Amino acid sequence: MTKTGQSGQHEKLAIDGGNPAFSGMAGKPEPKVGVSEFLMIAERFGFSDEAMGRLRETLSDADLGGGPHLGRYYGSASPSMGDRFEALAREKFGVKHAYAVCNGTCALQAALMAVGVGPGTEIIVPATGFIATGMAGAFFGATPIYCDVDASLQMDPDKLEALITPRTAAVLPTHHWGFVSAMDPIVDSARRHNIAVIEDCAQSPGATYHGRPVGSLGDIGCFSISSYKIIGGGEGGMIVTNDDRLFDRIRQAAEAGGLWRPDRFAKPRYDGELFAGSNYRMSELESAIDVIQMQKLDGIVSRHRHIWKRIRERLSNFQEITWQSSNDPDGDIGYLMRFFPRDHALGDKIVEALQAEGIGARCRGPEAGPDWHLYRYHFPLFDTAKEHCRPECCPVAADLYERCISISLNQWWSDADCDAVAGGINKVLNAYCTRLKA
Ligand SMILES: Cc1ncc(COP(=O)(O)O)c(C=O)c1O
């Protein structure tokens, strides 16, 4: 059919066999991430100038075509890096489901959304750990209720049950700084009251409790894979669970665009499947780094465990100090050696002398400034109308945390290094304390 325009001239439509108006692009596309951007990323890895020069030479002629697609869906290599990271997490943490997110805080938020934490509810968190745990709940209008700790510096299970109220939606034990919480009594108390257990494993991936990996002991486990953790990409997080329905809710919370669903636009398959969530998806770049990090986890954990044990076995006992207790000495990672001197004055002397021996020891002391790892400084979260959300509600944590002497243990120490460090600790404690008979 021939059509007549306003000018009265006829032009044959492509659909009728005429020439197409636009028969291929003449403009030259540039990839979203090309060679120079790729090299900028490489610069962040700390290669020497010489190595960077060699990379530049090798890559200068490289053809990246359209450039990489760094999202998880549509065009990523299959399996995506996110899929590979999650498969490793399922294997390492012994769980049915794993979901990668952009950081540990978002992991906690998605887990809390999944178990129904919202305005008017309460969550129970330990008095030592990190502010992100309580803050993740406060973000949704919940009140963090602080549970005091015991000499393991973990949530004291004997104090937990008294804090549970009809408003309690979840308890979140944090496995603090490489040591594990007393999960059996915590889970028992939570089950008796039908409340969810969300483990905050940000500081202890790879730790175990009675042989089972942390993260797999409660209902949901949350991890941070940030640069500051024992395995670290840039900013990353992981959520694990064995529960199918909770897993759907975690993904709805963390990927509310519904890309995870068999049919993303379908009506809910059951009550509670769909709700207003957010987008906490991990990028493919971060996943690529985290795949490598996960493969290093076992080595890191076993080196730390060996070093902690080798040093601890060589230490004597002293009247004026108490060693940090453990809920599972075989399960802790142990990247810190910690003990409590009788008082701050003694602590100051010990720390000074250890540092002079070349041993990196520190103690906060009573004059130290705010620290988000101790509840009494969580002032943005306090609800002083509640007895257990105030700066003075957990006296044991306040005392032990500020009196504690911590010695950082380096996973790369040789046996000779460990023996020298153990010898130095004994030497200092012998000088200032009374040695107890073995
Ligand atoms: C116990 C604990 N929970 C949660 C987080 C938050 O993780 P991210 O920094 O990845 O958001 C941290 C980070 O330091 C942490 O130590």
Side-chain angles (χ1 to χ4, degrees):
M1 194 202 300
T2 309
K3 296 199 171 71
T4 309
Q6 267 183 335
S7 64
Q9 285 177 341
H10 302 282
E11 200 176 348
K12 202 169 185 186
L13 294 176
I15 204 172
D16 296 325
N19 290 329
F22 186 68
S23 55
M25 162 171 152
K28 186 162 169 11
E30 283 186 11
K32 273 188 181 152
V33 179
V35 171
S36 56
E37 292 90 351
F38 180 77
L39 284 166
M40 269 168 63
I41 297 170
E43 269 164 25
R44 297 286 293 145
F45 280 74
F47 289 117
S48 66
D49 289 347
E50 194 207 324
M52 279 307 295
R54 284 205 305 273
L55 271 177
R56 260 190 209 97
E57 250 168 56
T58 315
L59 288 174
S60 57
D61 297 329
D63 175 11
L64 288 184
H69 173 82
L70 296 175
R72 173 149 187 183
Y73 298 98
Y74 307 134
S76 279
S78 181
S80 70
M81 284 295 174
D83 294 337
R84 288 174 55 184
F85 180 36
E86 288 165 0
L88 281 171
R90 286 195 296 272
E91 189 192 318
K92 292 262 181 278
F93 303 130
V95 285
K96 193 167 169 197
H97 303 293
Y99 184 70
V101 288
C102 49
N103 59 52
T105 303
C106 289
L108 289 164
Q109 288 184 357
L112 290 167
M113 272 195 259
V115 302
V117 166
T121 61
E122 294 174 355
I123 58 168
I124 303 179
V125 298
T128 56
F130 189 59
I131 192 170
T133 322
M135 196 170 320
F139 185 76
F140 298 115
T143 307
I145 297 295
Y146 292 97
C147 182
D148 213 340
V149 301
D150 57 24
S152 67
L153 281 177
Q154 313 286 335
M155 178 179 279
D156 183 344
D158 293 338
K159 299 206 173 112
L160 172 59
E161 210 145 347
L163 302 175
I164 297 174
T165 72
R167 292 177 295 283
T168 311
V171 54
L172 290 94
T174 297
H175 303 290
H176 187 41
W177 275 338
F179 297 92
V180 293
S181 304
M183 288 307 292
D184 280 349
I186 291 172
V187 171
D188 281 353
S189 298
R191 295 285 176 258
R192 266 196 297 281
H193 296 270
N194 201 22
I195 57 176
V197 179
I198 300 173
E199 292 172 79
D200 186 338
C201 311
Q203 300 174 358
S204 307
T208 52
Y209 178 76
H210 296 171
R212 289 168 60 201
V214 299
S216 69
L217 298 148
D219 299 294
I220 302 178
C222 296
F223 296 80
S224 161
I225 324 281
S226 88
S227 293
Y228 314 99
K229 304 295 185 305
I230 63 168
I231 48 167
E235 303 282 354
M238 176 58 75
I239 314 174
V240 299
T241 184
N242 282 311
D243 185 302
D244 298 341
R245 284 285 163 100
L246 275 180
F247 188 52
D248 282 357
R249 287 182 62 82
I250 286 164
R251 284 182 296 174
Q252 176 61 16
E255 201 176 316
L259 284 157
W260 59 277
R261 302 182 73 217
D263 172 358
R264 65 187 289 211
F265 302 113
K267 296 262 186 259
R269 291 170 295 177
Y270 54 84
D271 220 20
E273 186 196 14
L274 297 186
F275 54 91
S278 189
N279 177 14
Y280 299 155
R281 216 165 35 229
M282 176 178 273
S283 86
E284 282 286 278
L285 269 185
E286 175 68 29
S287 295
I289 310 252
D290 292 351
V291 163
I292 299 163
Q293 293 297 299
M294 283 294 275
Q295 286 165 338
K296 294 186 173 177
L297 182 60
D298 289 348
I300 294 171
V301 170
S302 71
R303 280 191 294 277
H304 274 303
R305 281 185 176 147
H306 171 76
I307 281 162
W308 191 92
K309 282 205 170 106
R310 188 167 177 102
I311 295 179
R312 185 67 187 85
E313 277 164 13
R314 283 160 176 72
L315 297 176
S316 309
N317 290 320
F318 297 87
Q319 196 173 305
E320 296 83 355
I321 66 148
T322 314
W323 297 101
Q324 176 182 7
S325 66
S326 168
N327 295 306
D328 184 348
D330 293 325
D332 292 332
I333 303 175
Y335 51 86
L336 291 173
M337 183 66 67
R338 311 184 94 181
F339 56 94
F340 310 105
R342 189 189 48 204
D343 54 47
H344 291 291
L346 176 62
D348 286 346
K349 283 201 285 191
I350 293 174
V351 167
E352 202 184 351
L354 284 171
Q355 287 174 353
E357 297 292 336
I359 297 169
R362 60 184 191 279
C363 178
R364 272 177 54 75
E367 312 300 335
D371 178 343
W372 291 139
H373 297 90
L374 180 61
Y375 85 100
R376 77 191 304 181
Y377 301 108
H378 293 183
F379 52 85
L381 310 186
F382 288 147
D383 175 351
T384 46
K386 299 211 173 175
E387 192 188 342
H388 295 283
C389 191
R390 295 180 190 161
E392 70 284 0
C393 67
C394 296
V396 180
D399 169 43
L400 289 182
Y401 189 81
E402 306 213 308
R403 199 155 44 92
C404 179
I405 294 181
S406 302
I407 298 172
S408 300
L409 309 182
N410 187 320
Q411 60 171 310
W412 301 109
W413 278 344
S414 67
D415 283 354
D417 295 330
C418 295
D419 298 353
V421 169
I425 299 172
N426 279 332
K427 181 170 149 191
V428 168
L429 295 181
N430 257 323
Y432 293 118
C433 307
T434 321
R435 188 176 178 148
L436 297 172
K437 290 204 178 80

